[in-house]
Amino acid sequence: MTALTKSDMADMLFEELGLNKREAKEIVEMFFEEIRASLESNEQVKLSGFGNFELRDKGERPGRNPKTGEEIPISPRRVVTFKPGQKLKARVEKYAGTE
Amino acid sequence: MTKSELIEAIAAKQTQLSLKDVELAVKSVLEQMSDALSSGERIEIRGFGSFSLHYREPRLGRNPKTGDSVDLNGKYVPHFKPGKELRERVNKGLSLS
């Protein structure tokens, strides 16, 4: 099955809500940009019914170059994690899987 | 940031649409994303990330109250993999804070 993309989302806003194509495209773009900007400023994003985008700071840890086997430390970093909400989890659990 | 703050932030940055229209649009986008995942479809947003389903094997669980064992069926759970731009911007935020 093909994946849902920004352009599919904009098409749906055009068809369902009657936004013009330019507005629909802009809104979809802004939706993802606002979430990125919030996370960039270290603020988590909570979208009730869908899920939360949270931030975790990870300290330095030992790593390895998989090609050469050479040991190199992995620098401290901040990462995004997604915690699906109850409603989304319940809906996805019902999916029996057909692949 | 909550859903309503996200709606307000978007509405403040554009002039053509009312707050109500932006609210409907944001809810539609989230509904489309939930619909896709609950029908087994992936979501791919360049620069943001991708959502897919991961399978959890059936296992024997326990009722924490009674200690009885319960058969848990295999199931799918949503999974998010951040894209390159999101990873880089969030990590850059670390060095600034």
Side-chain angles (χ1 to χ4, degrees), chain B residues 4-22:
Chain B
S4 52
E5 288 166 347
L6 171 61
I7 291 164
E8 283 163 20
I10 296 173
K13 282 185 182 148
Q14 56 84 54
T15 50
Q16 278 106 45
L17 297 169
S18 67
L19 185 65
K20 187 72 199 165
D21 285 336
V22 174

Side-chain angles (χ1 to χ4, degrees), chain B residues 30-91:
Chain B
L30 288 169
E31 188 57 27
Q32 292 179 55
M33 293 171 74
S34 297
D35 284 348
L37 290 172
S38 48
S39 58
E41 189 185 4
R42 289 168 54 82
I43 304 169
E44 288 178 5
I45 310 295
R46 190 165 307 145
F48 184 81
S50 61
F51 296 85
S52 60
L53 299 186
H54 280 187
Y55 184 64
R56 295 278 176 268
E57 294 290 340
R59 63 190 177 89
L60 206 58
R62 284 203 185 273
N63 180 329
K65 278 202 188 119
T66 63
D68 293 346
S69 56
V70 248
D71 271 325
L72 296 175
N73 296 326
K75 64 176 183 183
Y76 285 91
V77 294
H79 176 77
F80 175 66
K81 181 166 186 274
K84 186 161 185 276
E85 185 192 338
L86 180 59
R87 282 202 313 270
E88 288 175 353
R89 284 175 60 179
V90 161
N91 202 31

